[in-house]
Coordinates of all heavy atoms in Angstrom, one line a residue:
M1 N 37.3 -98.0 -72.4 CA 36.2 -97.6 -71.6 C 35.1 -97.0 -72.5 O 35.3 -96.2 -73.3 CB 36.7 -96.6 -70.6 CG 35.6 -96.1 -69.7 SD 36.4 -95.2 -68.3 CE 35.3 -93.8 -68.3
E2 N 33.9 -97.5 -72.3 CA 32.8 -97.1 -73.1 C 32.3 -95.8 -72.5 O 32.1 -95.6 -71.3 CB 31.7 -98.1 -73.1 CG 30.6 -97.8 -74.1 CD 29.6 -99.0 -74.2 OE1 30.0 -100.2 -74.1 OE2 28.4 -98.7 -74.3
L3 N 32.0 -94.8 -73.5 CA 31.4 -93.5 -73.0 C 30.0 -93.6 -72.6 O 29.2 -94.4 -73.2 CB 31.5 -92.5 -74.2 CG 32.9 -92.1 -74.7 CD1 32.8 -91.2 -75.9 CD2 33.7 -91.4 -73.6
S4 N 29.6 -92.9 -71.6 CA 28.2 -92.8 -71.2 C 27.4 -92.0 -72.2 O 28.0 -91.2 -73.0 CB 28.1 -92.2 -69.8 OG 28.4 -90.8 -69.9
N5 N 26.1 -92.1 -72.1 CA 25.3 -91.3 -73.0 C 25.5 -89.8 -72.7 O 25.5 -89.0 -73.7 CB 23.8 -91.7 -72.7 CG 23.5 -93.1 -73.3 OD1 24.1 -93.5 -74.2 ND2 22.4 -93.7 -72.7
A6 N 25.7 -89.4 -71.5 CA 25.9 -88.0 -71.2 C 27.2 -87.6 -71.8 O 27.3 -86.4 -72.3 CB 26.0 -87.8 -69.7
D7 N 28.3 -88.4 -71.8 CA 29.5 -88.0 -72.4 C 29.4 -87.9 -73.9 O 30.0 -87.0 -74.6 CB 30.6 -89.1 -72.1 CG 31.1 -89.0 -70.6 OD1 30.9 -88.0 -70.0 OD2 31.5 -90.1 -70.2
I8 N 28.6 -88.8 -74.5 CA 28.4 -88.8 -76.0 C 27.6 -87.5 -76.3 O 28.0 -86.8 -77.3 CB 27.6 -90.0 -76.5 CG1 28.5 -91.2 -76.3 CG2 27.1 -89.8 -77.9 CD1 27.7 -92.5 -76.5
R9 N 26.6 -87.1 -75.6 CA 25.9 -85.8 -75.8 C 26.8 -84.6 -75.6 O 26.8 -83.7 -76.4 CB 24.7 -85.7 -74.9 CG 23.6 -86.7 -75.3 CD 22.3 -86.3 -74.5 NE 22.5 -86.5 -73.0 CZ 22.2 -87.6 -72.3 NH1 21.8 -88.7 -73.0 NH2 22.4 -87.7 -71.0
A10 N 27.7 -84.7 -74.6 CA 28.6 -83.6 -74.4 C 29.6 -83.4 -75.6 O 29.8 -82.3 -76.0 CB 29.4 -83.8 -73.1
Q11 N 30.1 -84.5 -76.1 CA 31.0 -84.5 -77.2 C 30.2 -83.9 -78.5 O 30.8 -83.1 -79.2 CB 31.5 -85.9 -77.6 CG 32.6 -86.3 -76.6 CD 33.1 -87.7 -77.0 OE1 32.6 -88.4 -77.9 NE2 34.2 -88.1 -76.4
F12 N 29.0 -84.4 -78.6 CA 28.2 -83.9 -79.8 C 28.0 -82.4 -79.7 O 28.2 -81.7 -80.6 CB 26.8 -84.6 -79.8 CG 25.9 -84.2 -80.8 CD1 26.0 -84.7 -82.1 CD2 24.9 -83.3 -80.6 CE1 25.2 -84.3 -83.1 CE2 24.0 -82.8 -81.6 CZ 24.2 -83.4 -82.9
L13 N 27.6 -81.9 -78.5 CA 27.4 -80.5 -78.3 C 28.7 -79.7 -78.5 O 28.6 -78.5 -79.0 CB 26.8 -80.2 -76.9 CG 25.3 -80.7 -76.8 CD1 24.8 -80.6 -75.4 CD2 24.4 -79.9 -77.8
E14 N 29.8 -80.2 -78.1 CA 31.1 -79.6 -78.3 C 31.3 -79.4 -79.8 O 31.8 -78.4 -80.3 CB 32.2 -80.4 -77.7 CG 33.1 -79.8 -76.6 CD 33.1 -78.4 -76.3 OE1 33.8 -77.6 -76.9 OE2 32.3 -78.0 -75.4
H15 N 31.0 -80.4 -80.6 CA 31.2 -80.4 -82.0 C 30.3 -79.3 -82.6 O 30.7 -78.6 -83.5 CB 30.9 -81.8 -82.6 CG 31.2 -81.9 -84.1 ND1 32.4 -81.8 -84.6 CD2 30.3 -81.9 -85.1 CE1 32.4 -81.9 -85.9 NE2 31.1 -82.0 -86.3
V16 N 29.0 -79.3 -82.2 CA 28.1 -78.3 -82.6 C 28.6 -76.9 -82.3 O 28.6 -76.0 -83.2 CB 26.7 -78.5 -82.0 CG1 25.8 -77.3 -82.3 CG2 26.0 -79.8 -82.5
K17 N 29.1 -76.7 -81.1 CA 29.7 -75.4 -80.7 C 30.8 -75.0 -81.7 O 30.9 -73.8 -82.1 CB 30.2 -75.5 -79.3 CG 30.8 -74.2 -78.8 CD 31.3 -74.3 -77.4 CE 32.0 -73.1 -76.9 NZ 32.6 -73.3 -75.6
E18 N 31.7 -75.9 -82.0 CA 32.8 -75.6 -82.9 C 32.2 -75.2 -84.3 O 32.7 -74.2 -84.9 CB 33.7 -76.8 -83.1 CG 34.5 -77.2 -81.9 CD 35.3 -78.5 -82.1 OE1 35.6 -78.8 -83.3 OE2 35.6 -79.1 -81.1
L19 N 31.2 -75.9 -84.8 CA 30.6 -75.6 -86.1 C 29.9 -74.3 -86.1 O 30.1 -73.4 -87.0 CB 29.7 -76.7 -86.5 CG 30.3 -78.0 -86.9 CD1 29.2 -79.1 -87.1 CD2 31.2 -77.9 -88.1
V20 N 29.1 -74.0 -85.1 CA 28.3 -72.8 -85.1 C 29.0 -71.6 -84.7 O 28.8 -70.5 -85.3 CB 27.1 -73.0 -84.1 CG1 26.3 -71.8 -83.9 CG2 26.2 -74.1 -84.6
C21 N 30.0 -71.7 -83.8 CA 30.7 -70.5 -83.3 C 32.0 -70.3 -84.0 O 32.6 -69.2 -83.9 CB 31.0 -70.7 -81.8 SG 29.4 -70.8 -80.9
K22 N 32.5 -71.2 -84.8 CA 33.8 -71.0 -85.5 C 33.7 -71.2 -87.0 O 33.6 -70.3 -87.8 CB 34.8 -71.9 -84.8 CG 36.2 -71.7 -85.4 CD 37.2 -72.7 -84.8 CE 38.5 -72.6 -85.4 NZ 39.4 -73.7 -85.0
D23 N 33.7 -72.5 -87.4 CA 33.8 -72.9 -88.8 C 32.7 -72.2 -89.7 O 33.0 -71.6 -90.7 CB 33.7 -74.4 -89.0 CG 34.9 -75.1 -88.4 OD1 35.9 -74.4 -88.1 OD2 34.8 -76.3 -88.1
R24 N 31.5 -72.4 -89.3 CA 30.4 -71.9 -90.2 C 30.4 -70.4 -90.1 O 30.0 -69.8 -91.1 CB 29.0 -72.5 -89.7 CG 28.9 -73.9 -90.0 CD 27.5 -74.4 -89.8 NE 27.5 -75.9 -89.8 CZ 27.3 -76.6 -90.9 NH1 27.2 -76.0 -92.1 NH2 27.3 -77.9 -90.9
N25 N 30.7 -69.8 -89.0 CA 30.7 -68.3 -89.0 C 31.8 -67.8 -89.9 O 31.6 -66.8 -90.6 CB 31.0 -67.9 -87.5 CG 30.5 -66.5 -87.3 OD1 29.4 -66.1 -87.8 ND2 31.2 -65.7 -86.5
I26 N 32.9 -68.4 -90.0 CA 34.0 -68.0 -90.9 C 33.5 -68.3 -92.4 O 33.7 -67.4 -93.2 CB 35.3 -68.8 -90.6 CG1 35.8 -68.4 -89.3 CG2 36.3 -68.6 -91.7 CD1 36.9 -69.3 -88.8
T27 N 32.9 -69.4 -92.6 CA 32.5 -69.8 -94.0 C 31.3 -69.0 -94.5 O 31.2 -68.6 -95.6 CB 32.2 -71.3 -94.1 OG1 33.3 -72.0 -93.6 CG2 31.9 -71.7 -95.5
H28 N 30.3 -68.8 -93.6 CA 29.0 -68.3 -94.0 C 28.7 -66.9 -93.5 O 27.7 -66.3 -93.8 CB 27.9 -69.2 -93.6 CG 28.0 -70.6 -94.1 ND1 28.1 -70.9 -95.5 CD2 28.1 -71.8 -93.5 CE1 28.3 -72.2 -95.6 NE2 28.3 -72.8 -94.4
G29 N 29.6 -66.4 -92.7 CA 29.3 -65.1 -92.0 C 28.4 -65.3 -90.8 O 28.1 -66.4 -90.4
D30 N 28.0 -64.2 -90.2 CA 27.2 -64.2 -89.0 C 25.8 -64.9 -89.3 O 25.2 -64.5 -90.2 CB 27.0 -62.8 -88.5 CG 26.3 -62.8 -87.1 OD1 26.9 -63.2 -86.1 OD2 25.2 -62.3 -87.1
A31 N 25.5 -65.8 -88.4 CA 24.2 -66.6 -88.7 C 23.0 -65.7 -88.7 O 22.1 -65.8 -89.6 CB 24.1 -67.7 -87.6
E32 N 22.9 -64.8 -87.8 CA 21.8 -63.9 -87.7 C 21.6 -63.0 -88.9 O 20.5 -62.8 -89.5 CB 21.8 -63.0 -86.4 CG 21.5 -63.8 -85.2 CD 22.7 -64.6 -84.6 OE1 23.8 -64.5 -85.2 OE2 22.5 -65.4 -83.7
D33 N 22.8 -62.5 -89.5 CA 22.7 -61.8 -90.7 C 22.3 -62.7 -91.9 O 21.5 -62.2 -92.7 CB 24.1 -61.2 -91.0 CG 24.6 -60.1 -90.0 OD1 23.7 -59.6 -89.3 OD2 25.8 -59.8 -90.0
N34 N 22.8 -63.9 -91.9 CA 22.4 -64.8 -93.0 C 21.0 -65.2 -92.9 O 20.3 -65.3 -93.9 CB 23.3 -66.1 -92.9 CG 23.2 -66.9 -94.2 OD1 22.7 -68.0 -94.1 ND2 23.5 -66.4 -95.3
F35 N 20.4 -65.3 -91.7 CA 19.0 -65.6 -91.5 C 18.2 -64.5 -92.1 O 17.1 -64.8 -92.7 CB 18.7 -65.9 -90.0 CG 19.2 -67.1 -89.5 CD1 19.1 -67.3 -88.1 CD2 19.8 -68.1 -90.2 CE1 19.6 -68.5 -87.5 CE2 20.3 -69.3 -89.7 CZ 20.2 -69.5 -88.3
K36 N 18.6 -63.3 -91.9 CA 17.9 -62.1 -92.5 C 17.8 -62.2 -94.0 O 16.8 -62.0 -94.6 CB 18.5 -60.8 -92.0 CG 18.0 -59.6 -92.6 CD 16.6 -59.3 -92.2 CE 16.1 -57.9 -92.6 NZ 15.3 -57.9 -93.8
V37 N 18.9 -62.5 -94.6 CA 19.0 -62.7 -96.1 C 18.1 -63.8 -96.5 O 17.3 -63.7 -97.5 CB 20.4 -62.9 -96.6 CG1 20.5 -63.2 -98.0 CG2 21.3 -61.7 -96.2
I38 N 18.1 -64.9 -95.8 CA 17.2 -66.1 -96.1 C 15.8 -65.6 -96.0 O 15.0 -65.9 -96.9 CB 17.5 -67.3 -95.2 CG1 18.9 -67.8 -95.5 CG2 16.5 -68.4 -95.4 CD1 19.4 -68.8 -94.4
A39 N 15.4 -64.9 -94.9 CA 14.1 -64.5 -94.8 C 13.6 -63.6 -95.9 O 12.5 -63.7 -96.4 CB 13.9 -63.8 -93.4
D40 N 14.5 -62.7 -96.3 CA 14.2 -61.8 -97.4 C 13.9 -62.5 -98.7 O 13.0 -62.3 -99.4 CB 15.3 -60.7 -97.6 CG 15.4 -59.7 -96.5 OD1 14.5 -59.6 -95.7 OD2 16.5 -59.1 -96.4
L41 N 14.8 -63.5 -99.0 CA 14.7 -64.3 -100.2 C 13.4 -65.2 -100.2 O 12.6 -65.2 -101.1 CB 15.9 -65.2 -100.4 CG 17.2 -64.5 -100.8 CD1 18.4 -65.4 -100.8 CD2 17.1 -63.8 -102.2
W42 N 13.2 -65.8 -99.0 CA 12.0 -66.7 -98.9 C 10.7 -65.8 -99.0 O 9.7 -66.3 -99.6 CB 12.0 -67.5 -97.6 CG 13.0 -68.7 -97.7 CD1 13.9 -68.9 -98.7 CD2 13.2 -69.7 -96.7 NE1 14.6 -70.1 -98.4 CE2 14.2 -70.6 -97.2 CE3 12.6 -70.0 -95.5 CZ2 14.6 -71.7 -96.5 CZ3 13.0 -71.1 -94.8 CH2 14.0 -71.9 -95.3
N43 N 10.7 -64.7 -98.3 CA 9.5 -63.8 -98.3 C 9.2 -63.3 -99.8 O 8.0 -63.3 -100.2 CB 9.7 -62.6 -97.4 CG 9.4 -63.0 -96.0 OD1 8.5 -63.8 -95.7 ND2 10.2 -62.4 -95.1
A44 N 10.2 -63.0 -100.5 CA 10.1 -62.6 -101.9 C 9.5 -63.7 -102.7 O 8.6 -63.5 -103.5 CB 11.4 -62.1 -102.5
Y45 N 10.0 -64.9 -102.5 CA 9.5 -66.1 -103.2 C 8.0 -66.4 -102.9 O 7.2 -66.5 -103.7 CB 10.3 -67.4 -102.9 CG 9.7 -68.6 -103.5 CD1 9.8 -68.8 -104.9 CD2 9.0 -69.5 -102.8 CE1 9.2 -69.9 -105.5 CE2 8.4 -70.6 -103.4 CZ 8.5 -70.8 -104.7 OH 7.9 -71.9 -105.3
L46 N 7.7 -66.4 -101.5 CA 6.4 -66.7 -101.1 C 5.4 -65.6 -101.6 O 4.2 -66.0 -101.9 CB 6.3 -66.8 -99.6 CG 7.0 -68.1 -99.0 CD1 7.1 -68.0 -97.5 CD2 6.3 -69.3 -99.5
K47 N 5.8 -64.4 -101.6 CA 4.9 -63.3 -102.1 C 4.6 -63.5 -103.5 O 3.5 -63.1 -104.0 CB 5.6 -61.9 -101.9 CG 4.8 -60.8 -102.3 CD 5.6 -59.5 -102.1 CE 4.8 -58.3 -102.6 NZ 5.5 -57.1 -102.5
N48 N 5.5 -64.1 -104.3 CA 5.3 -64.2 -105.8 C 4.9 -65.6 -106.2 O 4.8 -65.8 -107.4 CB 6.5 -63.7 -106.5 CG 6.8 -62.3 -106.3 OD1 6.1 -61.5 -106.9 ND2 7.8 -61.9 -105.5
S49 N 4.7 -66.5 -105.3 CA 4.4 -67.9 -105.6 C 2.9 -68.1 -105.7 O 2.1 -67.2 -105.2 CB 5.0 -68.9 -104.6 OG 4.4 -68.7 -103.4
K50 N 2.5 -69.1 -106.4 CA 1.1 -69.4 -106.5 C 0.7 -70.5 -105.5 O 1.4 -71.4 -105.2 CB 0.8 -70.0 -107.9 CG 1.2 -69.0 -109.0 CD 1.1 -69.7 -110.4 CE 1.7 -68.7 -111.4 NZ 2.0 -69.3 -112.6
G51 N -0.5 -70.4 -105.0 CA -1.1 -71.4 -104.1 C -1.0 -71.0 -102.7 O -0.2 -70.1 -102.3
D52 N -1.8 -71.7 -101.9 CA -1.8 -71.4 -100.4 C -0.9 -72.3 -99.6 O -0.4 -71.8 -98.6 CB -3.3 -71.5 -99.9 CG -4.2 -70.5 -100.6 OD1 -3.8 -69.4 -100.8 OD2 -5.4 -70.8 -100.8
A53 N -0.8 -73.5 -100.0 CA 0.0 -74.4 -99.3 C 1.4 -74.7 -100.0 O 1.4 -74.8 -101.2 CB -0.7 -75.7 -99.1
L54 N 2.4 -74.8 -99.2 CA 3.7 -75.1 -99.8 C 3.7 -76.6 -100.3 O 3.1 -77.5 -99.8 CB 4.8 -75.0 -98.7 CG 5.1 -73.6 -98.3 CD1 6.1 -73.6 -97.1 CD2 5.7 -72.7 -99.4
T55 N 4.4 -76.7 -101.4 CA 4.6 -78.1 -102.0 C 6.0 -78.5 -101.9 O 6.9 -77.7 -101.6 CB 4.2 -78.0 -103.5 OG1 5.2 -77.2 -104.2 CG2 2.8 -77.5 -103.7
N56 N 6.3 -79.7 -102.3 CA 7.7 -80.2 -102.3 C 8.5 -79.4 -103.3 O 9.7 -79.2 -103.0 CB 7.7 -81.7 -102.6 CG 7.0 -82.2 -103.8 OD1 6.4 -81.4 -104.5 ND2 7.1 -83.4 -104.1
K57 N 7.9 -79.0 -104.4 CA 8.7 -78.1 -105.3 C 9.0 -76.8 -104.7 O 10.1 -76.3 -104.9 CB 7.9 -77.9 -106.6 CG 7.7 -79.2 -107.5 CD 6.9 -79.0 -108.7 CE 5.5 -79.3 -108.4 NZ 4.6 -79.4 -109.5
D58 N 8.1 -76.2 -104.0 CA 8.4 -74.9 -103.3 C 9.6 -75.1 -102.3 O 10.5 -74.2 -102.2 CB 7.2 -74.5 -102.5 CG 6.0 -74.0 -103.3 OD1 6.2 -73.3 -104.3 OD2 4.9 -74.4 -103.0
I59 N 9.6 -76.2 -101.6 CA 10.7 -76.4 -100.6 C 12.0 -76.6 -101.4 O 13.0 -76.0 -100.9 CB 10.4 -77.7 -99.8 CG1 9.1 -77.5 -99.0 CG2 11.6 -78.0 -98.8 CD1 9.1 -76.2 -98.1
A60 N 12.0 -77.3 -102.5 CA 13.3 -77.4 -103.3 C 13.7 -76.0 -103.7 O 14.9 -75.7 -103.6 CB 13.0 -78.3 -104.5
I61 N 12.8 -75.2 -104.2 CA 13.2 -73.8 -104.6 C 13.7 -73.0 -103.4 O 14.7 -72.3 -103.5 CB 12.0 -73.1 -105.3 CG1 11.7 -73.8 -106.6 CG2 12.3 -71.6 -105.4 CD1 10.3 -73.4 -107.2
M62 N 13.0 -73.1 -102.3 CA 13.4 -72.4 -101.1 C 14.8 -72.8 -100.6 O 15.6 -72.0 -100.1 CB 12.3 -72.4 -100.0 CG 11.1 -71.7 -100.5 SD 9.6 -71.9 -99.4 CE 10.1 -71.0 -98.0
M63 N 15.1 -74.1 -100.7 CA 16.4 -74.6 -100.3 C 17.5 -74.1 -101.2 O 18.6 -73.8 -100.8 CB 16.4 -76.1 -100.2 CG 15.5 -76.7 -99.0 SD 15.9 -75.9 -97.4 CE 17.5 -76.5 -97.1
C64 N 17.1 -74.0 -102.5 CA 18.1 -73.3 -103.4 C 18.3 -71.9 -103.0 O 19.5 -71.4 -103.0 CB 17.5 -73.4 -104.9 SG 17.6 -75.0 -105.6
L65 N 17.3 -71.2 -102.6 CA 17.4 -69.8 -102.2 C 18.3 -69.7 -100.9 O 19.1 -68.8 -100.7 CB 16.1 -69.2 -102.0 CG 15.2 -68.9 -103.2 CD1 13.8 -68.5 -102.9 CD2 15.9 -67.9 -104.1
F66 N 18.1 -70.7 -100.0 CA 18.9 -70.8 -98.8 C 20.4 -70.9 -99.2 O 21.2 -70.2 -98.7 CB 18.5 -72.1 -98.0 CG 19.4 -72.4 -96.9 CD1 19.5 -71.7 -95.8 CD2 20.3 -73.5 -97.1 CE1 20.4 -72.0 -94.7 CE2 21.1 -73.9 -96.0 CZ 21.2 -73.2 -94.9
K67 N 20.7 -71.8 -100.2 CA 22.1 -71.9 -100.6 C 22.6 -70.6 -101.3 O 23.8 -70.2 -101.2 CB 22.3 -73.1 -101.5 CG 22.3 -74.4 -100.7 CD 23.5 -74.3 -99.7 CE 23.4 -75.4 -98.7 NZ 24.6 -75.3 -97.7
I68 N 21.7 -70.0 -102.1 CA 22.1 -68.7 -102.7 C 22.4 -67.7 -101.6 O 23.4 -66.9 -101.8 CB 21.0 -68.2 -103.6 CG1 20.9 -69.2 -104.9 CG2 21.2 -66.8 -104.1 CD1 19.7 -69.0 -105.8
S69 N 21.7 -67.7 -100.5 CA 22.0 -66.7 -99.5 C 23.4 -67.0 -98.9 O 24.1 -66.0 -98.6 CB 20.9 -66.7 -98.4 OG 21.1 -67.9 -97.5
R70 N 23.7 -68.2 -98.8 CA 25.0 -68.6 -98.3 C 26.1 -68.2 -99.3 O 27.2 -67.7 -98.9 CB 25.1 -70.1 -98.1 CG 24.3 -70.6 -96.9 CD 25.2 -70.5 -95.6 NE 24.5 -70.9 -94.4 CZ 24.5 -72.1 -93.9 NH1 25.1 -73.1 -94.5 NH2 23.9 -72.3 -92.7
L71 N 25.8 -68.3 -100.6 CA 26.8 -67.9 -101.6 C 27.0 -66.4 -101.6 O 28.1 -65.9 -101.9 CB 26.3 -68.4 -103.0 CG 26.5 -69.8 -103.3 CD1 25.7 -70.3 -104.5 CD2 28.0 -70.1 -103.5
M72 N 25.9 -65.7 -101.2 CA 26.0 -64.2 -101.2 C 27.1 -63.7 -100.2 O 27.7 -62.7 -100.4 CB 24.7 -63.6 -100.9 CG 23.7 -63.7 -102.1 SD 22.0 -63.3 -101.6 CE 22.1 -61.6 -101.4
S73 N 27.3 -64.5 -99.1 CA 28.3 -64.2 -98.1 C 29.7 -64.8 -98.4 O 30.7 -64.4 -97.9 CB 27.8 -64.5 -96.7 OG 27.7 -65.9 -96.6
N74 N 29.7 -65.8 -99.3 CA 31.0 -66.5 -99.6 C 30.8 -67.2 -100.9 O 30.6 -68.4 -101.0 CB 31.4 -67.4 -98.5 CG 32.8 -68.0 -98.7 OD1 33.4 -67.8 -99.7 ND2 33.3 -68.7 -97.7
V75 N 31.0 -66.5 -102.0 CA 30.8 -67.0 -103.4 C 31.8 -68.1 -103.7 O 31.6 -68.9 -104.6 CB 30.7 -65.9 -104.4 CG1 32.1 -65.3 -104.6 CG2 30.1 -66.4 -105.7
D76 N 33.0 -68.1 -103.0 CA 34.0 -69.1 -103.3 C 33.9 -70.4 -102.6 O 34.8 -71.2 -102.7 CB 35.4 -68.4 -103.0 CG 35.7 -67.3 -104.0 OD1 35.3 -67.4 -105.2 OD2 36.3 -66.3 -103.6
N77 N 32.8 -70.6 -101.8 CA 32.7 -71.8 -101.0 C 32.1 -72.9 -102.0 O 30.9 -72.9 -102.3 CB 31.8 -71.6 -99.8 CG 31.7 -72.9 -99.0 OD1 31.9 -74.0 -99.4 ND2 31.3 -72.6 -97.7
L78 N 32.9 -73.8 -102.4 CA 32.5 -74.8 -103.4 C 31.3 -75.7 -102.8 O 30.4 -76.1 -103.6 CB 33.6 -75.7 -103.8 CG 33.3 -76.8 -104.9 CD1 32.9 -76.1 -106.1 CD2 34.6 -77.6 -105.1
E79 N 31.3 -76.0 -101.5 CA 30.3 -76.8 -100.9 C 28.9 -76.2 -101.2 O 27.9 -76.9 -101.4 CB 30.5 -76.9 -99.4 CG 29.5 -77.8 -98.7 CD 29.7 -77.9 -97.2 OE1 30.8 -77.6 -96.7 OE2 28.7 -78.2 -96.5
N80 N 28.8 -74.8 -101.1 CA 27.5 -74.2 -101.3 C 27.0 -74.4 -102.8 O 25.9 -74.6 -103.0 CB 27.6 -72.7 -101.0 CG 27.6 -72.5 -99.5 OD1 27.1 -73.3 -98.7 ND2 28.2 -71.4 -99.1
W81 N 28.0 -74.3 -103.7 CA 27.6 -74.6 -105.1 C 27.2 -76.0 -105.3 O 26.2 -76.3 -106.1 CB 28.8 -74.3 -106.0 CG 29.1 -72.8 -106.2 CD1 30.2 -72.1 -105.6 CD2 28.4 -71.9 -106.9 NE1 30.1 -70.8 -105.9 CE2 29.0 -70.6 -106.8 CE3 27.3 -72.0 -107.8 CZ2 28.6 -69.5 -107.4 CZ3 26.8 -70.8 -108.4 CH2 27.5 -69.6 -108.2
L82 N 27.9 -77.0 -104.7 CA 27.5 -78.4 -104.8 C 26.1 -78.6 -104.2 O 25.3 -79.3 -104.8 CB 28.5 -79.3 -104.1 CG 29.9 -79.3 -104.8 CD1 30.9 -79.9 -103.8 CD2 29.9 -80.0 -106.1
D83 N 25.9 -78.0 -103.0 CA 24.6 -78.2 -102.4 C 23.5 -77.6 -103.2 O 22.4 -78.1 -103.3 CB 24.6 -77.5 -101.0 CG 25.4 -78.3 -100.0 OD1 25.8 -79.5 -100.2 OD2 25.7 -77.8 -98.9
L84 N 23.7 -76.4 -103.8 CA 22.7 -75.7 -104.6 C 22.4 -76.6 -105.8 O 21.2 -76.8 -106.1 CB 23.3 -74.4 -105.1 CG 22.4 -73.6 -106.2 CD1 21.1 -73.3 -105.6 CD2 23.1 -72.4 -106.6
A85 N 23.4 -77.2 -106.4 CA 23.1 -78.1 -107.6 C 22.3 -79.4 -107.1 O 21.4 -79.8 -107.8 CB 24.4 -78.6 -108.2
G86 N 22.6 -79.8 -105.9 CA 21.9 -81.0 -105.3 C 20.4 -80.7 -105.1 O 19.6 -81.5 -105.5
Y87 N 20.2 -79.5 -104.5 CA 18.8 -79.1 -104.3 C 18.0 -78.9 -105.6 O 16.9 -79.3 -105.8 CB 18.7 -77.8 -103.4 CG 19.0 -78.1 -102.0 CD1 20.0 -77.4 -101.3 CD2 18.3 -79.0 -101.2 CE1 20.3 -77.6 -100.0 CE2 18.5 -79.3 -99.9 CZ 19.5 -78.6 -99.3 OH 19.8 -78.8 -98.0
A88 N 18.7 -78.3 -106.6 CA 18.1 -78.1 -107.9 C 17.8 -79.5 -108.6 O 16.8 -79.7 -109.2 CB 19.0 -77.3 -108.8
A89 N 18.7 -80.4 -108.4 CA 18.5 -81.8 -108.9 C 17.3 -82.4 -108.2 O 16.5 -83.1 -108.9 CB 19.8 -82.6 -108.8
C90 N 17.2 -82.2 -106.9 CA 16.0 -82.8 -106.2 C 14.7 -82.2 -106.8 O 13.8 -82.9 -107.0 CB 16.1 -82.5 -104.7 SG 17.4 -83.5 -103.9
G91 N 14.7 -80.9 -106.9 CA 13.5 -80.2 -107.5 C 13.2 -80.7 -108.9 O 12.1 -81.0 -109.2
G92 N 14.3 -80.8 -109.7 CA 14.1 -81.3 -111.1 C 13.6 -82.8 -111.1 O 12.7 -83.1 -111.9
G93 N 14.0 -83.5 -110.1 CA 13.5 -84.9 -110.0 C 12.1 -85.0 -109.6 O 11.3 -85.8 -110.2
I94 N 11.6 -84.1 -108.8 CA 10.2 -84.0 -108.4 C 9.4 -83.7 -109.6 O 8.3 -84.3 -109.9 CB 10.0 -82.9 -107.3 CG1 10.7 -83.4 -106.0 CG2 8.5 -82.6 -107.1 CD1 10.8 -82.3 -104.9
V95 N 9.8 -82.7 -110.4 CA 9.1 -82.3 -111.6 C 9.1 -83.4 -112.6 O 8.0 -83.7 -113.2 CB 9.6 -81.0 -112.2 CG1 9.0 -80.7 -113.5 CG2 9.4 -79.8 -111.2
K96 N 10.2 -84.0 -112.8 CA 10.3 -85.1 -113.8 C 9.4 -86.2 -113.5 O 8.7 -86.8 -114.3 CB 11.7 -85.6 -114.0 CG 11.9 -86.7 -115.0 CD 13.3 -87.0 -115.4 CE 13.5 -88.0 -116.5 NZ 12.4 -88.7 -117.0
K97 N 9.4 -86.6 -112.2 CA 8.5 -87.7 -111.8 C 7.1 -87.4 -112.0 O 6.3 -88.2 -112.4 CB 8.8 -88.0 -110.3 CG 8.0 -89.2 -109.8 CD 8.4 -89.5 -108.3 CE 7.6 -90.7 -107.8 NZ 8.0 -90.9 -106.4
S98 N 6.7 -86.1 -111.7 CA 5.4 -85.7 -111.9 C 5.0 -85.7 -113.4 O 3.9 -86.1 -113.7 CB 5.2 -84.2 -111.4 OG 4.0 -83.7 -111.7
L99 N 5.9 -85.3 -114.3 CA 5.6 -85.3 -115.7 C 5.5 -86.7 -116.2 O 4.7 -87.0 -117.1 CB 6.7 -84.5 -116.4 CG 6.7 -83.0 -116.2 CD1 7.9 -82.3 -116.8 CD2 5.4 -82.3 -116.6
D100 N 6.4 -87.6 -115.7 CA 6.4 -89.0 -116.2 C 5.1 -89.7 -115.8 O 4.7 -90.7 -116.5 CB 7.6 -89.7 -115.6 CG 8.9 -89.3 -116.3 OD1 8.9 -88.5 -117.3 OD2 10.0 -89.6 -115.7
N101 N 4.5 -89.3 -114.7 CA 3.3 -89.9 -114.2 C 2.0 -89.4 -114.9 O 0.9 -89.8 -114.6 CB 3.2 -89.8 -112.7 CG 4.2 -90.7 -112.0 OD1 4.6 -91.7 -112.5 ND2 4.6 -90.3 -110.8
K102 N 2.1 -88.4 -115.8 CA 1.0 -87.9 -116.5 C 0.6 -88.7 -117.7 O 1.3 -89.3 -118.4 CB 1.2 -86.4 -116.9 CG 1.2 -85.5 -115.7 CD 1.3 -84.1 -116.2 CE 1.1 -83.2 -115.0 NZ 1.1 -81.8 -115.4

């Protein structure tokens, strides 16, 4: 029997509920607390960055800071280390492409 669109959405939301209310809370700590740490890190970055408009390099750095905030609540979560390296690689790729085009 094929699931209806409503059933598919309900299953999806159930999965989200499991992630947000259980798994991620255990792995990353309370979301609202983590959001505060992210805000603090991003505000510090933005206060000290150059320029008025965010660039793709700024976003790569801010995503690294996002992962650092996650590591601050669970330094032993390997996924956060992998994601941090991935965001750093993306930022490095942006810079390398820019330098190669000069």
Side-chain angles (χ1 to χ4, degrees):
M1 179 169 135
E2 191 171 322
L3 294 175
S4 70
N5 288 335
D7 290 333
I8 292 168
R9 286 190 299 271
Q11 285 181 349
F12 178 82
L13 290 172
E14 239 351 272
H15 186 70
V16 170
K17 180 181 174 184
E18 288 175 26
L19 290 173
V20 172
C21 297
K22 182 182 174 190
D23 293 343
R24 292 189 189 273
N25 205 38
I26 292 167
T27 305
H28 305 300
D30 186 68
E32 288 78 7
D33 293 342
N34 190 245
F35 290 169
K36 172 69 170 95
V37 174
I38 294 166
D40 291 344
L41 291 171
W42 285 8
N43 281 321
Y45 174 75
L46 291 171
K47 180 180 176 186
N48 293 290
S49 67
K50 300 172 186 160
D52 295 326
L54 292 172
T55 67
N56 54 356
K57 290 179 267 189
D58 291 318
I59 300 306
I61 292 167
M62 292 170 74
M63 293 307 296
C64 287
L65 291 171
F66 168 74
K67 283 301 168 177
I68 289 169
S69 76
R70 289 274 177 91
L71 284 164
M72 290 169 68
S73 65
N74 187 354
V75 72
D76 293 324
N77 184 339
L78 184 59
E79 180 183 341
N80 288 331
W81 288 105
L82 293 168
D83 288 347
L84 175 60
Y87 286 124
C90 290
I94 292 167
V95 171
K96 182 168 181 354
K97 184 176 180 182
S98 171
L99 293 173
D100 289 349
N101 289 332
K102 285 186 177 183

